[in-house]
Amino acid sequence: MPVVMSLGAAALVLSIGSGAIATGVGIGFPRFEAVSVSRSTKAIVPSALAFVTYSIMVLVVALPTGLAHSGITGHALASVVGINQFVIGLSGTLVSAVLACLVGLISMYIARDRVRNYRLG
């Protein structure tokens, strides 16, 4: 049960952080033209470069949680360090939370700065 609670906390933090990360990536790699989604519907979707950049950033932020809660990696770390596997999982959650906050804050700062300085034509 404690491992499930740790993973739940990680999911909550990462889902909140992923929105903050998306703001900077969307501003950093904007797309201004609409793409046809269906016959009469158009939408502005992220560019492929923005999607790849965002995916890599979220993967890097979530990696400590994934590794720490993995049966193989988490167990190996716990046996090498000599502490309970739950502590390893909780540590991975905390590292991911700190990374999500840092990357999210930097991303939001970049977005705010670019939008503030944006001028038409």
Side-chain angles (χ1 to χ4, degrees), residues 11-83:
L12 178 66
V13 169
L14 292 173
S15 63
I16 292 169
S18 64
I21 293 168
T23 60
V25 175
I27 285 289
F29 304 102
R31 178 182 235 169
F32 296 106
E33 67 277 356
V35 175
S36 180
V37 178
S38 67
R39 289 185 209 161
S40 62
T41 306
K42 292 190 174 216
I44 298 177
V45 295
S47 66
L49 184 59
F51 180 74
V52 169
T53 303
Y54 172 76
S55 298
I56 290 170
M57 290 175 77
V58 169
L59 179 66
V60 167
V61 167
L63 193 61
T65 295
L67 290 175
H69 286 91
S70 166
I72 296 169
T73 311
H75 182 70
L77 283 171
S79 65
V80 167
V81 177
I83 56 176

